[in-house]
Amino acid sequence: LPSPIPWFLTQPVTPDLLVSPSSQDGDLGSECPEDRGNWTGRLDFLLSCIGYCVGLGNVWRFPYRAYTNGGGAFLVPYFIMLAICGIPIFFMELSLGQFSSLGPLAVWKISPLFKGVGMGTILIVSLVAIYYNMIIAYVLFYLFASLTSDLPWQHCGNWWNTDLCLDHHVIRAGNNTLPVNISNTVSPSEEYWSRYVLHIQGSSGIGDPGRIRWNLCLCLLLSWTIVYLCILKGVKSSGKVVYFTATFPYLILVMLLIRGVTLEGAWKGIQFYLTPQFDHLLSSKVWIEAALQIFYSLGVGFGGLLTFASYNTFHQNIYRDTFIVTLGNAITSILAGFAIFSVLGYMSQELGVPVNQVAKAGPGLAFVVYPQAMTMLPLSPFWSFLFFFMLLTLGLDSQFAFMETIVTAVTDEFPYYLRPKKASFSAVICIALFLMGLILTTEGGMYWLVLLDDYSAGFGLMVVVITTCLVVTRVYGMKRFCRDIHMMLGFKPGPYFRACWMVLSPATMMALLVYNIVKYQPSEYGNYRFPTWAEVLGILMGVLSCLMIPMGMVVAVLQEEGTLWE
């Protein structure tokens, strides 16, 4: 009898490009790994991207950045930077994900030498996910605190207030006959935030975290539970949740906007926000700030876009989606500015101080200034609840993306073992990140949060994005990349995209990186300066994500057979 033909000769041959990552490794005999899954509805992908990009930064960073950097004039560098390094990199990331259908680690089959870039991304995203969920926990805390007839930060005279506390209701009742000196007093909302919510007086600094605040700890547990339940089934479940979390903030934003603009004094705040000061455009700082705002606001480099696109069908029109999401994100930021500054204008009129004394950025705006403004409105608990509910929905869908990125990246590396157990693997990651975030719930937790916020996604993220840009255009090859896009979308990217990918985007990012290093300022929180060891720890966080790249190269070279020279 002739010997039977070996089975592997009868198998159809798949061209190299289309081989899925899982069929290259894993034993030949074992069955195919479970399917990755796809988005189930038409709008799932688009809404997930909008939900991911439109986050807390649009509300609390952009308006303040605009007002400090030339008001209306800031929109000029903002849109130029959007065109140079926002849209092109956004489109690049979506194309990489959709063409490969792989997560941010496995996608580096395009150049195995640079797999470390993927590892750097995962490290950055994990650090950001830890503290981003703590911010959501603060929002939940305030959300529950708003469910009363009288907001707890409305008056002085609670156990957490000090003698410096000054209630604006008292100022108004006094008819301003006596000029009140506000400069060395503290608002009740400021003391509620720092002395009650954070209980920061229990900690002397970052090296002395103090006790865990159990109410914050429970809020953090709740926020991780919500996130877990929403990403339980991967994009099949989170793709449905975003129908609510990506659209509802717009409804609330419009309500807050209408309420804000109808207040007296609102015009004062809006003037402040939009009066163009064109002399600012001559300073490099304004252009850098614009680029930074675009960079963080669109979430490029975090792997979220790549992950979402990897669940698309092969011919999804990501070109159109790129413009919808990036421009929608910019418009949302500008709208949020109106909603914030109209209320700040009203507040400055009530307190009789100029707008620039009440304007703040970051958590100070969300947890001190805006809640204080809410107490001045009729029906204050209702408006306060709406505002924090908006922040909750804004924050959650960005957090889904971070988690989806981590889970997808690792499951695509080990599809045989992890894909069938994706739900339990997600649970393990959520629990691990919750435990790491426990230090943020202590009395000195805010110092750690500031440290993570300043360093986790600073220069490390830029190095990752610059490297990605250079590897795709130089190593993988611009021709190849354009051919891939042509295969998916039916047309090649025009000269604008090619010019940005080859030169403009990497050059702008390099400028950003250099500026960040040259203008380096130590972290601070209020009047507290961080000790040197904390600074070093922060810088190490950033450097570690950069070091992943050379480490990945070493591993890749060691895994290959043959001598180093070969």
Side-chain angles (χ1 to χ4, degrees), residues 114-133:
F114 289 93
K115 193 165 195 172
V117 177
M119 298 185 321
T121 305
I122 300 306
L123 178 66
I124 292 168
V125 170
S126 307
L127 289 172
V128 171
I130 292 172
Y131 81 81
Y132 205 81
N133 229 9

Side-chain angles (χ1 to χ4, degrees), residues 463-474:
V463 171
V464 162
V465 178
I466 293 168
T467 316
T468 307
C469 227
L470 295 177
V471 171
V472 169
T473 54
R474 307 292 197 287

Side-chain angles (χ1 to χ4, degrees), residues 176-294:
N176 291 0
T177 41
L178 293 167
V180 182
N181 182 9
I182 302 200
S183 58
N184 45 11
T185 58
V186 186
S187 68
S189 64
E190 172 95 48
E191 293 205 332
Y192 179 80
W193 164 240
S194 61
R195 296 181 61 84
Y196 178 70
V197 180
L198 299 176
H199 204 264
I200 205 158
Q201 67 271 27
S203 153
S204 60
I206 191 165
D208 162 40
R211 293 194 303 274
I212 284 188
R213 302 277 294 145
W214 288 107
N215 40 12
L216 283 182
C217 185
L218 290 174
C219 285
L220 184 63
L221 184 63
L222 177 63
S223 60
W224 273 113
T225 311
I226 296 171
V227 169
Y228 174 65
L229 292 175
C230 293
I231 62 157
L232 182 62
K233 293 192 167 65
V235 290
K236 282 194 172 55
S237 55
S238 72
K240 289 292 163 268
V241 180
V242 289
Y243 279 86
F244 176 71
T245 58
T247 53
F248 198 66
Y250 285 100
L251 182 67
I252 303 184
L253 193 58
V254 170
M255 287 169 73
L256 288 172
L257 185 64
I258 294 169
R259 173 71 258 207
V261 177
T262 51
L263 295 166
E264 52 179 315
W267 186 237
K268 203 166 145 191
I270 290 174
Q271 245 177 327
F272 215 80
Y273 167 50
L274 281 187
T275 308
Q277 297 160 305
F278 287 106
D279 53 319
H280 278 67
L281 297 186
L282 297 173
S283 84
S284 61
K285 176 177 173 285
V286 172
W287 292 83
I288 297 287
E289 289 277 321
L292 282 176
Q293 179 61 34
I294 290 288

Side-chain angles (χ1 to χ4, degrees), residues 12-13 48 53 72 116 141 170 342 432 490 519 563-564:
V13 178
S48 291
C53 295
F141 189 96
V170 179
S342 57
K519 291 281 188 208
T563 61
L564 181 64

